[in-house]
DNA sequence: AAGTGGTCTAGACCACGTC
DNA sequence: ACGTGGTCTAGACCACTTG
């Protein structure tokens, strides 16, 4: 035996049997011990294979009940959200940054659902790719949770990069929508007013304390892609 | 010692040390053997903790070079893509379905990048939530790869659900954009023409053979959310 | 050449949840 | 009660990559 059975082999074999309907959707599969014996490898190897397939949504596992082929596989798309700078430079373009405004203000009402109190720092800025508007950033940073932000002028370093370097966060909530460009948005992004805008909104917490909320607008042509 | 050190404990400890700057971004961490000794657990336990943090984008690992705290953590949002039916019913609304058209046709030119040959089945249909248009589906199924589709009329069962049950797929590519509603789109979705539309496009393969391409349009108010 | 992560093994104990 | 997955251990060998 030149090659041992690795967990990748086990995953491939399981997927093969699902595809050829040896194990149709909903079917009960053999337990780890039996499958390990059949494929002549250790149970830990089968465990890792099955665990990863379960994480991926292909299998459903329950103690004592056993492992089944997922009946309605909830497909998961994993979106990578890199730094804007890295994203732009990754496309071979030159990245640049412009601060639009920066001022402390009371908590805007739309942030109240997030349980924010005290003052926030409101920042608007623009990220450009080869001099063309790429992403408009409208951000609010809690001065209660991140008082150090008050000392930053953000003329050179974008709030995005500053936050990542300074404030380690533990929880994030993201949502995506399509919206019509407001007049100011359209002007900054160099698009006709009312044109479709791809919007990502992100709220961030550290240890349960609200840190920042950001609204990122891209011209509609922006494409977010993933594969699996 | 009542409690053993589990891989969750190790992950938590690592994250703690990143947060309190014991290991700042870019820093070289101890190797698995040393960390295992310090935390008094097996190397495999540390390995699993570090491996999962690396998958998550928190750490960068390279053989021989060691493990470092990711300098620019590529944040990953995992989007769950459930069946439309499940999504609608999960919101407590009544799901319904309408077939708009269904006809075989030659491969449209925009599918040529995907290497599609032969005939495809073109299907348009509408998914409704409590009777209101929720998602417009414009789909093309390869009759070469999935000839069984020709026998389906799709008047009751949506192509989505039929495909999931019948054709196990192995590779998927998804992308999201914001677009302006075309006139027909606007009419079906009951939105003003030109209004922002949230579009998901998905191409699917099984064993390297192209199966289907689908364009899913939601009214702009649609919100796709995730957290981590 | 040598150090680091990547993986496998064989065995063990435990927690959960179904029967 | 008991079967199944969940996890840990201790040891081993290997592959990759850097110095």
């Amino acid at each position: 035996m030149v090659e041992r059975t690795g967990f990748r082999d086990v995953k491939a074999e399981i997927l093969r049997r699902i595809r050829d309907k040896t194990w149709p959707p909903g079917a009960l599969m053999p337990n780890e011990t039996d499958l390990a014996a059949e494929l002549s490898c250790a149970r830990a190897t089968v465990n890792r294979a099955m665990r990863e397939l379960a994480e991926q949504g292909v299998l459903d596992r329950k103690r004592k009940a056993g492992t089944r082929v997922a009946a309605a596989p909830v497909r998961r798309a994993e979106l990578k959200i890199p730094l804007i700078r890295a994203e732009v430079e990754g496309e071979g373009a030159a990245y640049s940054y412009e601060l639009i405004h920066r001022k402390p203000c009371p908590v805007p009402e739309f942030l109240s659902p997030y349980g924010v109190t005290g003052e926030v720092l409101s920042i608007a800025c623009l990220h450009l790719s080869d001099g063309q508007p790429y992403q408009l950033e409208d951000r609010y940073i809690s001065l209660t949770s991140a008082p150090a932000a008050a000392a930053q002028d953000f003329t050179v370093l974008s709030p995005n990069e500053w936050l990542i370097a300074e404030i380690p966060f533990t929880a994030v909530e993201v949502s995506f929508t399509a919206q019509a460009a407001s007049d100011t948005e359209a002007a900054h992004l160099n698009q006709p007013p009312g044109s479709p805008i791809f919007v990502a909104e992100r709220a961030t917490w550290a240890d349960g304390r609200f840190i920042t909320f950001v609204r990122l607008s891209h011209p509609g042509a922006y494409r977010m892609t993933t594969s699996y």
Side-chain angles (χ1 to χ4, degrees), chain A residues 138-160:
Chain A
D138 190 17
R139 185 182 289 274
Y140 301 85
I141 303 176
S142 163
L143 288 174
T144 311
S145 307
Q152 277 289 321
D153 64 11
F154 297 116
T155 49
V156 178
L157 190 65
S158 80
N160 197 339

Side-chain angles (χ1 to χ4, degrees), chain A residues 9-217:
Chain A
D9 302 316
V10 177
K11 284 176 80 166
E13 179 60 26
I14 291 173
L15 288 172
R16 195 173 308 123
R17 293 187 189 182
I18 292 176
R19 253 178 287 146
D20 63 31
K21 313 258 181 186
T22 305
W23 298 324
L28 183 63
M29 297 171 53
N31 66 33
E32 297 186 345
T33 311
D34 291 350
L35 195 53
E38 187 202 329
L39 302 179
S40 56
C41 64
R43 179 167 82 100
T45 304
V46 173
N47 179 278
R48 177 160 178 193
M50 286 181 141
R51 177 159 38 86
E52 290 191 359
L53 288 172
E55 270 169 23
Q56 210 176 117
V58 177
L59 304 180
D60 275 338
R61 316 197 75 189
K62 264 187 281 188
R63 283 170 153 145
K64 165 73 179 180
T67 300
R68 293 175 179 280
V69 180
V74 175
R75 285 297 167 180
R76 293 171 196 185
E78 185 187 67
L79 298 172
K80 294 174 193 165
I81 311 185
L83 278 181
I84 328 290
R85 175 194 294 278
E87 186 173 341
V88 168
E89 290 175 348
E91 290 165 0
Y95 170 83
S96 54
Y97 164 79
E98 280 173 18
L99 180 63
I100 298 172
H101 77 239
R102 175 203 177 282
K103 56 173 184 249
C105 65
V107 177
E109 50 190 285
F110 71 89
L111 284 182
S112 35
Y114 294 105
V116 193
T117 57
E119 228 182 8
V120 298
L121 187 62
S122 164
I123 300 165
C125 59
L126 190 62
H127 304 273
L128 304 97
S129 170
D130 276 344
Q132 292 301 307
Y134 185 79
Q135 180 189 72
L136 180 64
E137 174 174 348
D138 190 17
R139 185 182 289 274
Y140 301 85
I141 303 176
S142 163
L143 288 174
T144 311
S145 307
Q152 277 289 321
D153 64 11
F154 297 116
T155 49
V156 178
L157 190 65
S158 80
N160 197 339
E161 298 187 36
W162 180 81
L163 280 162
I164 284 185
E166 293 302 317
I167 318 282
F169 41 89
T170 53
V172 182
E173 203 177 286
V174 198
S175 80
F176 304 94
T177 53
Q179 298 181 14
S182 68
D183 290 350
T184 56
E185 226 167 20
H188 282 126
L189 287 173
N190 202 16
Q191 298 284 311
S195 65
I197 297 288
F198 187 89
V199 177
E201 292 177 343
R202 195 157 70 210
T204 304
W205 291 262
D207 293 323
R209 297 189 322 175
F210 172 86
I211 298 288
T212 183
F213 173 88
V214 64
R215 181 173 188 274
L216 303 165
S217 332

